[in-house]
């Protein structure tokens, strides 16, 4: 008899694993379909509910000289609300005998125009005050407050422009109010790490790359589920012992299982990442992908899943149950999740030396940095990060093969 | 000629002695029944013989090889093993099990076809059932399916751990029929059982195992004569006394 051909052995295990896992409908739904539905739904439903909130503003006019202007202010606020597609109600009360407590119950935001307001805004150097009270803990109150602020800003601009016009008239000079109010204009452009000027599209691609870095956060979970089930699930279901006595080598058996977990993990990762991109698009972000970033992301995802599978395999070989293996794997992989979540907000290349050293020692960091480097045009550094990442995978896979031991699996001697 | 030769095998797990100087020799082409109560060391003996568990000390040759040697992986295709608590994959059909194991064991397409054919014959299940997921199978059907994939490659040595335990009369009878037929074709069987009545019906040789040691060994007739007993059950009780 000859020893079993390695590639045939791996293909056979792969065939069985894919067949078996693809019929585990509940798990597949949980790791593939659910995120694909839930994340975009989250963005869509939240945004629909956000704009459908009914918020209200009550303007109490104590300064009767401002009574007519208050109607104009109300119209401006309503217009701002319409521009933001908000359900905003604005009421003006000029009644001198108003019950303040009752007014506060009636509205999310109450703006009081005190006596002397009109006088102060008409004076060349007067400063008028609007007293505002906001309902505590209500996002609807935030919406109303923003619309009020926006309208008052417009009112301020028109008052300042009028004052400038009057000053210019006194001084008998010609002045552009806009230039006087904003003496410094900022013209923003972009550049790449290499110093080359970048276009707006490249900045958008870099922003999208940050979201892709963050999407790695979701890649880890399915691989842990599939790999722990492929090893400990077999033990718990009493199917592993027959496999262990078959002509398969331990290495081929583990390789077949890892490949199957990786294939399903990649499908789940694609679904999760697509869901995440849809989430941001539905939340109003403009995203753009380049071929280079997409390739870097795919290579990083494959590496990350292989890394996760190897770690989960090691943990599973030393765990008693699938659940305990998953808990321990998630505990270890939470380091990866922290890094990928941080990458959404932190430039990992700009952290202090001590933090950078620690991060560089963690293989997961290199998946995130590879995507970042490609998005900023540093292809060479991206390749170096990927080489470090793949070297770590080789080491961990070798360790996983060593740990994948029939005696340990059958008798659980962690 | 012996297909399994074990001398003074010792295996401890967490300082508990599981196999205590276990010595047994299994002649080629025989049905050797390893008989003893639960916890006597039958399953561990089988796992050590198969190289699934490493022995702490002792001499062991199976098919002329040490199961802990590098060459053992090649010998695994000459062996069949049916663990006591083995279960099929719940989400696969019976036919998919047969195809999967035939792929694992076959070296050529002819091999593969022969194994599938043999497994279908041993399982003896209707095609409609074979095409259903095994969740719909009875315990006896599952056991026959597992036996079919254990023996489909005509192993030189087959180790069956409690092959008929808990089965109905028909399933149990068919399994014994298959074992006798394959023994006739040259397969050596080691069968672990706690059911001494079953052992009496099928065994060429019997080894009584207790506390990890073989305490009596021989043909059924030799054992009955030696212990002046009417049955293996009576002989076993006489050997172990009131220890269990």
């Amino acid at each position: 008899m000859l020893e079993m051909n390695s590639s045939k052995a791996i293909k056979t295990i792969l065939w069985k694993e894919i067949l078996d896992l693809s019929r585990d409908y509940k798990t597949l739904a949980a790791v593939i379909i659910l995120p694909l539905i839930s994340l975009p739904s989250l963005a869509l439903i939240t945004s629909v509910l956000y704009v459908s909130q009914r918020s209200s503003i009550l303007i109490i006019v104590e300064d009767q000289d401002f009574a007519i202007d208050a109607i104009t202010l109300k119209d401006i606020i309503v217009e701002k609300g319409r521009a933001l597609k908000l359900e905003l109600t604005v009421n003006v009360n000029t009644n001198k005998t108003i019950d303040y407590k009752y007014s506060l119950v009636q509205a999310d935001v109450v703006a009081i125009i005190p006596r002397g307001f009109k006088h102060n805004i008409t004076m060349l150097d007067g400063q008028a005050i609007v007293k505002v009270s906001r309902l505590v803990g209500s996002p609807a109150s935030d919406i109303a407050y923003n619309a009020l602020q926006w309208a008052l800003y417009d009112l301020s601009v028109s008052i300042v422009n009028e004052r400038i016009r009057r000053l210019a008239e006194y001084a008998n000079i010609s002045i552009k109010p806009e230039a006087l109010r904003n003496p410094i204009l900022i013209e923003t452009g972009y550049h790449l790490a290499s110093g080359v000027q970048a276009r707006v599209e490249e900045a958008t691609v870099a922003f999208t790359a940050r979201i892709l870095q963050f999407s790695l956060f979701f890649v880890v979970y399915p691989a842990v589920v599939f790999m722990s089930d492929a090893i400990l699930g077999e033990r718990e279901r009493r199917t592993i012992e027959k496999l262990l006595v078959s002509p398969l080598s331990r290495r081929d058996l583990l390789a077949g299982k890892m490949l199957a977990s990786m294939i399903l993990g990649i499908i789940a990762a694609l679904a999760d990442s697509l869901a995440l991109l849809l989430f941001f698009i539905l939340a109003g972000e403009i995203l753009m992908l380049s071929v280079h970033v997409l390739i870097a992301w795919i290579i990083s995802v494959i590496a990350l899943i292989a890394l996760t599978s190897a770690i989960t395999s090691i943990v599973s070989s030393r765990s008693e149950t699938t659940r305990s293996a998953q808990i321990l794997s998630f505990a270890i992989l939470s380091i990866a999740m922290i890094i990928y979540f941080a990458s959404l907000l932190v430039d990992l290349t700009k952290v202090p030396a001590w933090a950078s050293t620690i991060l560089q020692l963690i293989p997961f960091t290199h998946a995130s940095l590879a995507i970042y480097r490609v998005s900023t045009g540093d292809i060479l550094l991206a390749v170096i990060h990927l080489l470090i990442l793949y070297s770590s995978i080789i080491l961990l896979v070798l360790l996983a093969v060593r740990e994948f031991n029939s005696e340990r699996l059958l008798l659980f001697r962690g | 000629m012996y297909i399994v030769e074990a001398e003074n095998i010792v295996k401890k797990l967490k300082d508990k002695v599981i196999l205590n100087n276990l010595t047994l020799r299994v002649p080629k082409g025989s049905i050797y029944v390893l008989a003893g109560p639960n916890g006597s060391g039958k399953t561990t003996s089988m796992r050590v013989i198969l190289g699934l568990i490493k022995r702490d000390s002792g001499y062991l040759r199976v098919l002329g090889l040490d199961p802990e040697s590098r060459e053992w992986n090649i010998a695994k295709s000459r062996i069949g093993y049916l663990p006591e608590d083995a279960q099929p994959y719940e989400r696969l059909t019976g036919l998919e099990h047969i195809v999967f194991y035939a792929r694992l064991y076959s070296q050529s397409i002819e091999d593969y076809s022969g194994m599938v054919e043999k497994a279908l014959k041993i399982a003896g299940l209707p095609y409609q059932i074979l095409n259903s997921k095994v969740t719909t199978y009875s315990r006896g059907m599952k056991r026959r399916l597992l036996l079919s994939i254990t023996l489909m490659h005509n192993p030189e040595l087959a180790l069956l751990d409690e092959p008929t335990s808990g089965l109905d009369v028909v399933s149990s009878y068919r399994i014994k029929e298959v074992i006798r037929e394959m023994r006739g074709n040259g397969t050596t069987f080691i069968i672990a059982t706690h059911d001494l009545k079953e052992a009496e019906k099928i065994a060429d040789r019997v080894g009584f195992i207790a506390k990890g040691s073989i305490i009596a060994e021989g043909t059924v007739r030799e054992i009955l004569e030696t212990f002046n007993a009417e049955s293996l059950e009576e002989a076993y009780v006489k050997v172990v006394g009131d220890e269990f």
Side-chain angles (χ1 to χ4, degrees):
Chain A
M1 289 275 184
L2 296 167
E3 190 165 9
M4 196 179 183
N5 174 294
S6 228
S7 88
K8 185 193 157 206
I10 293 170
K11 272 189 213 164
T12 307
I13 287 292
L14 188 59
W15 173 79
K16 190 278 286 178
E17 291 289 329
I18 295 285
L19 198 63
D20 196 16
L21 288 171
S22 64
R23 288 177 185 165
D24 186 358
Y25 306 121
K26 282 181 189 167
T27 307
L28 288 180
V31 297
I32 299 174
I33 312 292
L34 199 64
L36 206 51
I37 295 170
S38 62
L39 273 175
S41 303
L42 181 70
L44 201 63
I45 294 168
T46 308
S47 58
V48 167
L49 289 176
Y50 180 82
V51 295
S52 65
Q53 289 179 99
R54 287 182 192 164
S55 49
S56 56
I57 300 174
L58 174 64
I59 303 170
I60 297 171
V61 184
E62 292 177 347
D63 184 357
Q64 293 306 311
D65 295 338
F66 193 73
I68 297 168
D69 301 288
I71 303 300
T72 312
L73 180 63
K74 173 194 166 179
D75 292 342
I76 297 172
I77 297 169
V78 170
E79 193 184 309
K80 299 296 179 196
R82 266 197 216 112
L84 294 168
K85 296 177 181 169
L86 300 173
E87 292 278 329
L88 186 62
T89 309
V90 185
N91 291 309
V92 177
N93 193 323
T94 52
N95 195 338
K96 287 176 188 172
T97 56
I98 192 160
D99 179 346
Y100 285 104
K101 195 176 174 188
Y102 180 71
S103 303
L104 292 174
V105 174
Q106 293 296 302
D108 298 309
V109 171
V110 176
I112 300 167
I113 309 289
R115 280 193 188 89
F117 183 87
K118 177 80 175 182
H119 174 73
N120 284 330
I121 61 171
T122 319
M123 296 265 295
L124 201 54
D125 59 349
Q127 195 168 33
I129 292 169
V130 179
K131 292 176 182 170
V132 178
S133 181
R134 301 166 62 182
L135 177 64
V136 172
S138 166
S141 157
D142 297 342
I143 291 171
Y145 182 67
N146 288 341
L148 176 68
Q149 262 196 323
W150 196 6
L152 287 174
Y153 173 78
D154 277 8
L155 181 64
S156 288
V157 168
S158 66
I159 292 166
V160 170
N161 284 348
E162 174 58 21
R163 287 178 178 181
I164 291 167
R165 193 192 60 73
R166 281 164 60 192
L167 281 170
E169 203 177 286
Y170 295 147
N172 200 19
I173 53 172
S174 171
I175 289 175
K176 288 181 184 169
E178 182 66 28
L180 189 72
R181 278 193 301 110
N182 297 309
I184 298 170
L185 286 179
I186 302 167
E187 286 181 2
T188 309
Y190 299 97
H191 66 276
L192 298 173
S194 59
V196 176
Q197 275 199 331
R199 288 170 288 123
V200 177
E201 291 81 17
E202 286 171 300
T204 312
V205 167
F207 174 71
T208 310
R210 270 169 57 200
I211 292 175
L212 288 179
Q213 285 173 264
F214 174 56
S215 78
L216 298 176
F217 182 95
F218 297 91
V219 168
V220 170
Y221 172 73
V224 171
V225 173
F226 291 130
M227 197 63 209
S228 56
D229 184 72
I231 295 176
L232 288 168
E234 284 240 24
R235 183 172 77 189
E236 286 165 7
R237 292 188 291 270
R238 311 280 179 201
T239 51
I240 198 145
E241 202 166 353
K242 272 202 75 58
L243 265 188
L244 292 171
V245 292
S246 74
L248 285 166
S249 67
R250 269 187 311 159
R251 186 196 58 201
D252 293 347
L253 179 55
L254 191 65
K257 285 183 172 294
M258 279 185 76
L259 273 178
S261 300
M262 282 177 67
I263 289 170
L264 289 168
I266 288 167
I267 295 170
L270 286 173
D272 290 352
S273 303
L274 183 64
L276 188 69
L277 291 176
L278 281 172
F279 174 86
F280 277 95
I281 290 167
L282 290 170
E285 297 290 350
I286 297 165
L287 303 180
M288 194 182 279
L289 269 174
S290 74
V291 176
H292 286 125
V293 168
L294 192 61
I295 291 171
W297 177 77
I298 290 170
I299 295 173
S300 297
V301 164
I302 293 170
L304 182 58
I305 292 174
L307 194 65
T308 305
S309 300
I311 290 171
T312 309
S313 170
I314 295 166
V315 172
S316 298
S317 297
R318 287 191 170 270
S319 298
E320 192 170 2
T321 62
T322 307
R323 188 179 296 173
S324 62
Q326 288 178 351
I327 290 169
L328 189 55
S329 298
F330 282 127
I332 295 169
L333 294 164
S334 62
I335 299 165
M337 292 179 171
I338 291 167
I339 292 168
Y340 300 139
F341 185 76
S343 65
L344 193 62
L345 307 166
V346 179
D347 184 342
L348 298 178
T349 63
K350 300 284 165 64
V351 294
W354 64 268
S356 178
T357 308
I358 294 170
L359 285 171
Q360 301 282 342
L361 288 172
I362 303 168
F364 301 112
T365 310
H366 299 281
S368 179
L369 287 177
I371 299 172
Y372 171 78
R373 292 296 187 189
V374 169
S375 75
T376 57
D378 287 334
I379 303 294
L380 181 66
L381 280 173
V383 171
I384 292 171
H385 284 302
L386 288 175
L387 284 174
I388 296 170
L389 184 59
Y390 277 86
S391 306
S392 322
I393 293 167
I394 292 168
L395 285 175
L396 282 164
V397 167
L398 290 174
L399 187 61
V401 172
R402 207 183 65 123
E403 291 292 306
F404 191 68
N405 167 314
S406 57
E407 182 159 340
R408 192 173 282 144
L409 280 170
L410 293 175
L411 304 175
F412 174 60
R413 301 172 80 190
Chain B
M1 186 185 170
Y2 297 110
I3 207 155
V4 175
E5 286 181 272
E7 272 176 38
N8 300 319
I9 303 290
V10 174
K11 178 67 187 175
K12 289 179 190 168
L13 290 175
K14 291 178 183 168
D15 295 331
K16 188 182 173 196
V17 179
I18 307 295
L19 296 182
N20 185 14
N21 289 312
L22 180 107
T23 297
L24 65 85
R25 287 182 187 82
V26 179
K28 193 174 180 193
S30 66
I31 298 175
Y32 187 102
V33 173
L34 201 53
N38 294 333
S40 57
K42 300 188 297 291
T43 300
T44 306
S45 306
M46 287 192 156
R47 285 173 169 175
V48 168
I49 289 170
L50 290 160
L52 289 171
I53 293 177
K54 288 185 176 176
R55 61 189 185 275
D56 296 330
S57 63
Y59 173 85
L60 179 62
R61 288 292 177 273
V62 181
L63 298 165
L65 292 168
D66 183 340
E68 289 173 27
S69 67
R70 283 181 163 272
E71 297 76 35
W72 181 247
N73 226 33
I74 303 167
K76 278 158 79 179
S77 59
R78 297 158 63 191
I79 294 177
Y81 175 47
L82 177 63
E84 179 188 4
D85 53 1
Q87 290 294 323
Y89 296 100
E90 296 285 319
R91 293 187 285 265
L92 301 192
T93 67
L95 203 56
E96 284 164 349
H97 278 84
I98 291 172
V99 168
F100 171 55
Y101 277 95
R103 280 186 186 181
L104 282 184
Y105 279 90
S106 61
Q107 296 286 343
S108 64
I109 190 77
E110 292 79 20
D111 260 4
Y112 172 80
S113 309
M115 285 181 196
V116 171
E117 203 176 316
K118 175 123 191 165
L120 292 175
K121 191 182 159 200
I122 295 172
L125 298 169
Y127 190 73
Q128 201 182 355
I129 298 221
L130 281 169
N131 260 330
S132 320
K133 285 187 192 167
V134 296
T135 38
T136 60
Y137 288 24
S138 68
R139 188 179 153 84
M141 284 174 182
K142 285 181 185 173
R143 205 69 181 153
R144 270 155 64 190
L145 175 68
L146 288 168
L147 184 75
S148 75
I149 56 183
T150 302
L151 301 174
M152 70 197 307
H153 58 294
N154 283 318
E156 289 173 50
L157 172 64
L159 294 96
L160 313 179
D161 198 349
E162 307 280 3
T164 57
S165 172
L167 295 188
D168 59 89
V169 179
V170 177
S171 295
S172 174
Y173 177 78
R174 287 206 174 135
I175 286 176
K176 277 181 275 188
E177 221 177 29
V178 170
I179 293 168
R180 282 196 199 97
E181 189 189 322
M182 287 199 65
R183 189 266 312 267
N185 292 334
T187 299
T188 305
F189 284 90
I190 300 178
I191 298 172
T193 183
H194 65 273
D195 186 344
L196 296 176
K197 282 182 187 163
E198 286 291 322
E200 211 167 310
K201 288 180 199 163
I202 202 168
D204 293 321
R205 294 189 73 80
V206 178
F208 282 163
I209 184 168
K211 293 182 178 175
S213 300
I214 299 290
I215 51 173
E217 206 254 354
T219 62
V220 175
R221 178 176 285 185
E222 283 168 357
I223 288 181
L224 295 181
E225 281 174 6
T226 307
F227 297 100
N228 192 24
E230 294 281 313
S231 65
L232 284 179
E233 264 181 350
E234 189 187 341
Y236 192 85
V237 173
K238 283 184 176 175
V239 178
V240 299
D242 294 326
E243 282 184 64
F244 288 92

